[in-house]
Amino acid sequence: MAEVIDGKSVAEDVVSKVKALTAELSAKGATKPGLAVVIVGEDPASQVYVASKSRTAKECGFHSLQHTLPADTTEEQLLKIISDLNADKSIHGILVQLPLPGHIDAGKVIQTIAPEKDVDGFHFINVGKLGTGELDTAFVPCTPAGSMLLIERVRGKDLSGLNAVVVGRSNIVGKPMANLLLAANCTVTIAHSRTKDLPALARTADILVAAVGRPEMVKGDWVKPGATVIDVGINRIPAPEKGEGKSRLVGDVAYAEAAKLAGAITPVPGGVGPMTIAMLMANTVASAYLAAGLKRPSF
Ligand code: GUN
């Protein structure tokens, strides 16, 4: 049976390190890390995520700011808030929760965030740095950055020559994940809905990352024996066996089947999920170190 990769425990390690780094920064007399989270509208899932981000920021000893804006906020109003945060020296990280309401151009909003405060890693400057291997100064999107830490816990930092297959080509997860694996010298293939014979391709993977948002799509017999399987999916499905109207969370991987073959696998929940917020804190403390002219801490 596979080693179960405990994302909760790794995320706790990251948060502990962020707390220590924040204390060191204060001891040096520098400004403490400041994170501003902006949410527009009342999407309940987004509200839960944002509350959790703000809570963890406070726990880390950050200056934590939250802008909760009504759904009818105009693009102009939102852009003004971002410009003000860009100019605010007490803020080192700006996160605008996605999705935004349809009348706001999310691309324009993201590109307005100062690249050095873009702790989501969505600005073209950060995307370009990751794509060209400038990892020392890039902000890398939190979910793939967290997935990479989990892979390194299992495989070590040197992934040279390993075959990696990333299923999913989103800008938030699939593409940055592929770039991180490439920077670590893996041979990388990005698969997507048009890929031919996906099961056969998946079976070539020493590292298999599933980020498609389709419940239990990756079957057990897609997994190469001994592979490291990273499941980025979080899907809520009906669970009538738990009672009427009940539901449960599953990933993009059919976990029980895949765990029989994998060398190591992330569970859902408790795998990649907890890493996302931890890496947001890591990016924010890194931004504060850079703003203070100090060496960027690594995780
Ligand atoms: N919505 C879902 N995931 C994310 C994320 O990583 N960052 C932002 N800003 N919004 C999201």
Side-chain angles (χ1 to χ4, degrees):
M1 278 298 274
E3 172 193 344
V4 180
I5 305 171
D6 185 350
K8 196 160 171 272
S9 151
V10 180
E12 280 166 10
D13 288 352
V14 170
V15 168
S16 294
K17 187 162 179 188
V18 170
K19 284 181 193 166
L21 286 163
T22 302
E24 268 178 51
L25 202 56
S26 299
K28 288 185 166 87
T31 316
K32 68 175 163 183
L35 175 65
V37 178
V38 182
I39 178 167
V40 185
E42 270 98 48
D43 177 54
S46 291
Q47 302 265 5
V48 172
Y49 286 135
V50 162
S52 184
K53 286 168 184 174
S54 297
R55 192 177 344 105
T56 313
K58 285 196 193 100
E59 198 188 311
C60 288
F62 292 2
H63 165 49
S64 170
L65 200 68
Q66 189 176 320
H67 285 277
T68 306
L69 308 173
D72 62 358
T73 302
T74 65
E75 186 177 290
E76 199 185 352
Q77 287 168 330
L78 180 56
L79 293 176
K80 170 77 170 76
I81 288 170
I82 293 172
S83 300
D84 290 348
L85 291 169
N86 282 344
D88 184 341
K89 289 218 177 324
S90 74
I91 294 298
H92 304 94
I94 302 169
L95 180 139
V96 179
Q97 186 67 22
L98 302 176
L100 287 167
H103 66 278
I104 297 177
D105 179 347
K108 191 167 170 188
V109 170
I110 288 165
Q111 301 313 322
T112 302
I113 297 172
E116 67 276 12
K117 297 190 179 188
D118 169 39
V119 284
D120 252 335
F122 295 164
H123 192 286
F124 292 149
I125 293 272
N126 287 310
V127 175
K129 283 182 174 182
L130 173 58
T132 51
E134 294 287 324
L135 293 175
D136 288 349
T137 57
F139 285 113
V140 177
C142 301
T143 301
S147 300
M148 200 64 191
L149 271 194
L150 297 181
I151 294 168
E152 286 173 357
R153 287 278 170 131
V154 177
R155 296 267 184 178
K157 279 200 188 283
D158 182 10
L159 307 176
S160 282
L162 294 176
N163 286 337
V165 173
V166 179
V167 189
R169 55 175 156 180
S170 70
N171 291 331
I172 296 186
V173 183
K175 287 179 201 163
M177 187 75 240
N179 268 325
L180 281 171
L181 291 161
L182 190 59
N185 298 317
C186 289
T187 302
V188 184
T189 310
I190 303 179
H192 47 77
S193 54
R194 308 287 174 90
T195 296
K196 293 199 176 112
D197 202 352
L198 181 52
L201 176 66
R203 276 191 290 271
T204 67
D206 302 303
I207 298 170
L208 179 61
V209 181
V212 275
R214 294 240 232 131
E216 301 179 321
M217 187 183 100
V218 175
K219 306 299 178 202
D221 65 358
W222 296 23
V223 175
K224 177 177 173 175
T228 303
V229 178
I230 304 293
D231 190 350
V232 179
I234 302 176
N235 311 288
R236 190 164 284 286
I237 62 166
E241 72 279 5
K242 284 168 69 178
E244 206 188 308
K246 297 277 187 197
S247 65
R248 64 191 175 99
L249 289 180
V250 297
D252 292 349
V253 177
Y255 180 85
E257 296 171 15
K260 287 185 187 147
L261 284 154
I265 186 167
T266 58
V268 176
V272 173
M275 293 301 293
T276 300
I277 291 181
M279 296 317 288
L280 176 66
M281 303 304 136
N283 280 348
T284 307
V285 82
S287 176
Y289 269 68
L290 290 171
L294 299 165
K295 188 174 173 295
R296 178 185 184 153
S298 60
F299 284 86

